Amino acid sequence: MKNKVIIGILFGVLLISNFSMYLLVNNMNGKVEDIEGIVRIINDSMNDVESDVYRSVNRLVEEKRWLYDIETEVKAVSEDLKNAKLSVSWSVRELDKGASMYLLYGVRDETSNEVAEWKEVSVPDSDDLSYRIELNVPFVNNYRFKVLARGDNRSISQELDEIDLLDKLEDRMDIDIDPNGKTSSGKHVKFSFDVDVYNRYDFRHLGQVNDGFDGNLLRIKNINLKVYSNDVLKKEIALYKDGKVVDNGDGVSYHKGPKHIRDMNVEEIEHSLTLEYDSVEDSDEVVEVIVEDYLGRTYTEKSRGM
């Protein structure tokens, strides 16, 4: 009987201790949640202060800039894609008395990014110190621009935003090569890979084009594959020739973009291929894809080695 009483007392003490611990932990959880809420409020306040400071500093910087309200855009592209009309506009805070305004522009080199020759265009005077000029230039180039204010005592020059016509022309073409299987037995190689060529053949994302422009010059004309083993050409295959799929009996897939993509003209060519040939032991296989459009430009991509 005495043992039962002791056990009952111990059980009661244990129950009370557990209940007290539960209340303590629950109270601590509530305090932690309160602290987390306070931390969130402080973080939000700090973010608001940071945003206000950034806007204030940015506004002060803009107010001190000599050149502002800069805009460079493509106004039109000729139907044959040989020429483009560009619009360049800007404003200046001040201009020395008697100073003349000029726009300098030039073709940016694809490798060095430098301009070999700057062309200078005189800009008409403006009472409100805001200027706009339109240029007719060859299409297949990237262009850089500078504003030059030339006076009797000093000259001020500052560069504007670029217009990358050539980059946009080349970036519209996406070539994906996926080597996905290789087995070898001695010098005999069995090599599998997928090719996916995606082409957007309009320029609505670039700027306004003339009504007669239909994008056919930007469509894919030819696609050729070259397969190398240790830098030795092993296979050369035509997937697409004169705008048509070449029937090699191995399932080249051509389709246009989904109809739900409005105001976009896209085409995609997919192909999976397995080739066999003799090579050297431990050879490295590489696929090269060469795409040509109706402009006569070529776009080349090489796969990683496998």
Side-chain angles (χ1 to χ4, degrees):
M1 182 69 180
K2 185 176 181 180
N3 290 336
K4 290 182 179 180
V5 171
I6 293 173
I7 291 172
I9 292 172
L10 290 174
F11 180 78
V13 170
L14 182 62
L15 184 64
I16 293 171
S17 298
N18 286 339
F19 183 69
S20 300
M21 184 65 69
Y22 168 78
L23 292 177
L24 179 61
V25 170
N26 191 55
N27 186 45
M28 289 178 63
N29 286 337
K31 290 182 178 179
V32 169
E33 290 176 357
D34 291 341
I35 293 172
E36 289 177 346
I38 293 171
V39 170
R40 283 195 295 269
I41 293 172
I42 293 174
N43 284 336
D44 291 342
S45 299
M46 291 178 65
N47 289 334
D48 291 341
V49 170
E50 184 179 356
S51 297
D52 290 341
V53 170
Y54 175 80
R55 284 193 293 267
S56 298
V57 171
N58 191 56
R59 185 171 58 251
L60 289 173
V61 170
E62 287 297 319
E63 289 175 353
K64 294 297 182 181
R65 288 182 62 182
W66 175 66
L67 200 63
Y68 68 102
D69 282 350
I70 301 167
E71 186 174 5
T72 56
E73 61 177 333
V74 181
K75 299 296 289 185
V77 178
S78 64
E79 296 173 19
D80 58 6
L81 291 183
K82 290 184 178 180
N83 299 292
K85 180 184 287 186
L86 311 180
S87 175
V88 184
S89 61
W90 68 94
S91 298
V92 295
R93 301 290 179 190
E94 60 181 3
L95 188 65
D96 291 347
K97 186 177 181 180
S100 299
M101 185 70 70
Y102 300 89
L103 176 69
L104 282 66
Y105 71 98
V107 176
R108 174 170 61 83
D109 184 79
E110 294 182 57
T111 304
S112 67
N113 291 326
E114 298 298 325
V115 174
E117 179 184 0
W118 291 95
K119 296 183 179 180
E120 185 176 285
V121 180
S122 178
V123 180
D125 293 337
S126 171
D127 293 335
D128 61 359
L129 301 184
S130 294
Y131 305 88
R132 178 183 296 273
I133 192 167
E134 292 188 346
L135 303 170
N136 290 304
V137 297
F139 176 77
V140 189
N141 288 308
N142 294 321
Y143 291 95
R144 287 172 57 183
F145 304 93
K146 288 182 180 180
V147 165
L148 171 64
R150 183 183 293 138
D152 294 333
N153 299 320
R154 64 170 181 165
S155 294
I156 305 174
S157 177
Q158 190 168 327
E159 196 151 343
L160 307 179
D161 299 330
E162 299 182 7
I163 295 182
D164 300 327
L165 292 172
L166 179 58
D167 286 352
K168 289 181 170 60
L169 179 66
E170 294 184 340
D171 291 346
R172 81 183 202 283
M173 187 81 68
D174 185 21
I175 303 172
D176 183 46
I177 310 168
D178 181 23
N180 52 44
K182 174 185 173 182
T183 59
S184 55
S185 177
K187 294 182 179 181
H188 188 74
V189 175
K190 187 176 182 180
F191 179 44
S192 300
F193 59 91
D194 298 330
V195 173
D196 186 351
V197 179
Y198 176 92
N199 175 44
R200 179 172 180 177
Y201 56 95
D202 65 62
F203 267 125
R204 293 184 181 90
H205 65 299
L206 175 65
Q208 173 141 11
V209 296
N210 294 339
D211 293 338
F213 177 78
D214 61 8
N216 283 333
L217 288 173
L218 299 176
R219 297 187 70 165
I220 296 172
K221 182 180 181 181
N222 300 313
I223 302 177
N224 291 294
L225 304 182
K226 292 183 178 181
V227 179
Y228 298 89
S229 183
N230 276 24
D231 297 325
V232 177
L233 179 63
K234 290 296 181 179
K235 298 284 185 178
E236 189 167 3
I237 302 167
L239 290 188
Y240 204 67
K241 187 173 182 180
D242 294 330
K244 295 181 181 179
V245 172
V246 177
D247 185 10
N248 294 312
D250 48 13
V252 180
S253 171
Y254 174 89
H255 56 88
K256 292 187 177 181
K259 292 182 179 179
H260 68 272
I261 301 180
R262 298 184 60 186
D263 298 328
M264 282 182 62
N265 294 330
V266 299
E267 57 184 348
E268 188 172 16
I269 297 171
E270 299 173 296
H271 185 46
S272 298
L273 190 62
T274 299
L275 300 175
E276 296 188 45
Y277 47 82
D278 290 333
S279 186
V280 297
E281 292 186 8
D282 299 323
S283 59
D284 189 47
E285 322 309 315
V286 172
V287 180
E288 182 180 26
V289 177
I290 305 102
V291 181
E292 181 186 3
D293 61 20
Y294 281 92
L295 272 177
R297 296 190 63 81
T298 57
Y299 310 82
T300 303
E301 187 73 28
K302 276 191 175 182
S303 72
R304 66 183 188 278
M306 187 176 196

